[in-house]
């Protein structure tokens, strides 16, 4: 009897240490872009909320440049200046992030298949992160206004524990308001694993885009 009790207590303790935190988040943003021949330049602002939409989580400004050097193959670089909420001390921490991307797109009738691999470097006050992010997407040209899509993204961390540690399943649509203006909105299910703090996040997003 004592042995069974010990096993039960052990299992309960293990479950308590591996509890998963679940949160609902809201991402909103606006971007302005300009295409010049095979180059595309963009600037965007984003505001994000967490803790079931109740707290400001992050604000950032992002500068992006990309170049289609072969048909359907694009290389790009992005710089982001982040303001991240400091949960323990309050206020916000400032950090920087650079992305280096390589992407490919292929059209099959009304479907567009795309793959993007990204090398991401984030520099915070006391630490830095290096990630590889691979994203596979499929988009459907429903009509002139709506382009729904589905994507899967896998994260690999290079520093600390070298392992896959995050996935994102995203579904949404792009809605073309007119020739120069569009909205993108949808839902992301994010799973963070292979870490001490496990997380399941439900992310709702809406972004407004302007092409000049």
């Amino acid at each position: 009897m004592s042995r069974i009790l010990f096993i039960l207590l052990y299992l309960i303790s293990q479950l308590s240490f591996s509890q998963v935190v679940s949160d609902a988040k809201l991402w909103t943003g606006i971007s302005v872009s300009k295409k010049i021949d095979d180059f595309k330049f963009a600037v965007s602002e984003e505001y994000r909320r967490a803790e079931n939409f109740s707290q400001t989580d992050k604000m950032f400004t992002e500068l992006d440049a990309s170049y289609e050097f072969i048909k359907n193959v694009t290389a790009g670089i992005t710089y982001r200046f982040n303001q991240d909420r400091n949960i323990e001390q309050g206020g916000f921490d400032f950090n920087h992030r650079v992305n280096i991307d390589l992407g490919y797109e292929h059209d099959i009738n009304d479907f567009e298949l795309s793959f993007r691999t990204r090398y991401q470097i984030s520099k915070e006050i006391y630490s830095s992160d290096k990630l590889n992010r691979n994203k596979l997407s499929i988009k459907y040209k429903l009509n002139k206004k709506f382009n729904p899509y589905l994507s899967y993204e896998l994260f690999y961390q290079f520093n600390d524990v070298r392992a896959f540690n995050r996935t994102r399943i995203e579904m949404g649509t792009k809605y073309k308001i007119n020739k120069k203006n569009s909205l993108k909105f949808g839902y992301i299910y994010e799973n963070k694993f292979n870490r001490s703090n496990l997380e399941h996040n439900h992310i709702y997003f809406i972004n407004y885009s302007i092409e000049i």
Side-chain angles (χ1 to χ4, degrees), residues 135-153:
K135 187 175 184 179
L136 182 65
S137 305
I138 181 169
K139 182 190 296 182
Y140 179 62
K141 299 173 185 177
L142 183 64
N143 52 44
K144 293 182 179 180
K145 292 288 187 180
F146 286 95
N147 290 291
Y149 67 90
L150 177 68
S151 69
Y152 176 82
E153 187 171 14

Side-chain angles (χ1 to χ4, degrees), residues 16-90:
S16 66
F17 281 117
S18 60
Q19 285 182 349
V20 179
V21 176
S22 183
D23 192 15
K25 301 185 177 186
L26 177 65
W27 295 356
T28 60
I30 183 170
S31 66
V32 179
S33 63
K34 175 70 174 178
K35 191 170 184 180
I36 304 174
D37 297 325
D38 293 326
F39 288 91
K40 185 176 181 180
F41 304 93
V43 58
S44 60
E45 292 282 340
E46 191 154 327
Y47 174 72
R48 296 180 175 181
R49 295 184 71 84
E51 304 293 336
N52 295 318
F53 312 145
S54 65
Q55 299 287 334
T56 296
D57 183 48
K58 184 191 297 282
M59 297 175 286
F60 64 79
T61 301
E62 195 168 80
L63 304 174
D64 177 83
S66 60
Y67 174 63
E68 186 177 8
F69 61 95
I70 303 175
K71 185 180 179 181
N72 298 331
V73 181
T74 303
I77 185 168
T78 304
Y79 167 74
R80 179 187 290 186
F81 175 69
N82 269 327
Q83 300 178 65
D84 288 322
R85 181 168 64 101
N86 189 319
I87 298 175
E88 296 179 354
Q89 300 179 6

Side-chain angles (χ1 to χ4, degrees), residues 10 16 23 28 33 36 44 56 68 92-93 100 111 129 136-137 139 152 154 160-161 166 174 187 192 195 201-202:
Y10 174 77
S16 66
D23 192 15
T28 60
S33 63
I36 304 174
S44 60
T56 296
E68 186 177 8
F92 290 85
D93 293 334
I100 301 172
F111 291 91
D129 281 332
L136 182 65
S137 305
K139 182 190 296 182
Y152 176 82
L154 180 63
D160 299 328
V161 179
R166 189 186 314 184
K174 182 178 180 180
Y187 166 78
K192 295 183 179 182
R195 58 180 70 200
N201 293 317
H202 304 276

